[in-house]
Amino acid sequence: TRRNLRLLPSSGPDSPGWGVPRPGLAAPRMLLPQASQASRGSGSTGCSLMAPELDTAQGAKMRRGAGAARGRASWCPAVALLWLAAVPGWPRVSGVLSRRHWPVPYKRFDSRPKPDPYCQAEYTFCPTGSPIPVIEGDDDIEVFRLQAPVWEFKYGDLLGHLKIMHDAIGFRSTLTGKNYTMEWYELFQLGNCTFPHLRPEMDAPFWCNQGAACFFEGIDDVHWKENGTLVKVATISGNMFNQMAKWVKQDNETGIYYETWNVKASPEKGAETWFDSYDCSQFVLRTFSKLAEFGAEFKNIETNYTRIFLYSGEPTYLGNETSVFGPTGNKTLGLAIKRFYYPFKPHLSTKEFLLNLLQIFDAVIVHREFYLFYNFEYWFLPMKFPFIKITYEEIPLPNKNKTLSGL
């Protein structure tokens, strides 16, 4: 298959907490741009289909590390990922309403807000992406499941041994012989999607969080096969492919932010789910489910996906940015939230990182507190053992009679 990759850029929301391009870079467009080899197999949960159009100068290295170095902040990916769940929360807040309908639905938007120039990506998002082509209706399109270790471009198979994997989808036209890769990931790195910047000139935490779809020509066989997976899962018609392309555009324009965490009451089967993640694997699952709706028949093969869980009692709703940090907001609560996020700031020395790690352990494990930002709203999580867990779970491929639910 061809090695020429193309990714889809996406635009970042300008609300606090969303990703934006670096000054001097054009705003990512809502089309499927090409991706460079670096973007492939990027981060754990990150594939981008329609993101803002960014300068492609730095793009080549980014795709493989998509989940790694996004955002202005330089986060320590492997360590941060394993400790993301161990975030300290300070004083518990009482007297606020708690929502009883679980899990909380992922909020969709009418369109992508214009990105804020403050947010910068260490690796350009989807630098060489291209629009999804219109395929001949009678073409047979082979569909491939793609999976590789997160940040393989930087750490090789290190995170693969921990089953921390990035997911994508490959396509091959039998009429033209052309191959394509499609994925969804963070515009400004995983750290920025998981923790905010605490800017001294702002009262509220500032988030650089956005994810988008990325489409490009070519499949890097070596990248996916060497330490991961490249396996055919279905064959679809050109008409199904074109239907999928329309759905992808709509899905990408309305689902604009990345969510790292799955939050549950316990690891036990059937335990209450409080919040679902929204990442690269979820994009793959949604796409497979949609193809099944269009009539695709998938093979009966095992498919596993990486998921990062936080475990807590019933979450408490705290409010949005205005109600917490606005002129009439709760200053005590606002300070608690900012103190909670402080140990996760980027650009730390080794000494600072170790000290902050102790603070995180004290807050999450000892005091059992975590503040979650979801749908532009803040929640308090009363943490429970085992606190955080990374799993590699089987989620079966769908079929046209029974598609995946809740995606």
Side-chain angles (χ1 to χ4, degrees), residues 253-269:
E253 290 177 346
T254 59
I256 63 177
Y257 70 94
Y258 186 100
E259 179 51 50
T260 302
W261 309 110
N262 294 275
V263 186
K264 293 188 66 175
S266 79
E268 297 178 5
K269 187 175 181 180

Side-chain angles (χ1 to χ4, degrees), residues 44-45 67 75-89 151 164 189-196 207 258-261 308-310 340-341 343-345 353 357 360-361 364-365 369-372 381 383 387-390:
S44 57
T45 54
W75 306 83
C76 180
V79 179
L81 187 61
L82 295 175
W83 283 91
L84 286 184
V87 183
W151 302 310
I164 302 177
Q189 278 65 72
L190 182 60
N192 284 303
C193 292
T194 310
F195 302 110
W207 292 84
Y258 186 100
E259 179 51 50
T260 302
W261 309 110
I308 307 176
F309 286 93
L310 295 179
F340 166 81
Y341 285 127
F344 295 94
K345 65 180 181 179
F353 177 78
L357 203 56
I360 292 169
F361 182 88
V364 178
I365 308 302
E369 298 173 341
F370 194 104
Y371 287 101
L372 177 72
L381 307 181
M383 299 297 288
F387 306 105
I388 180 174
K389 187 176 182 181
I390 298 175

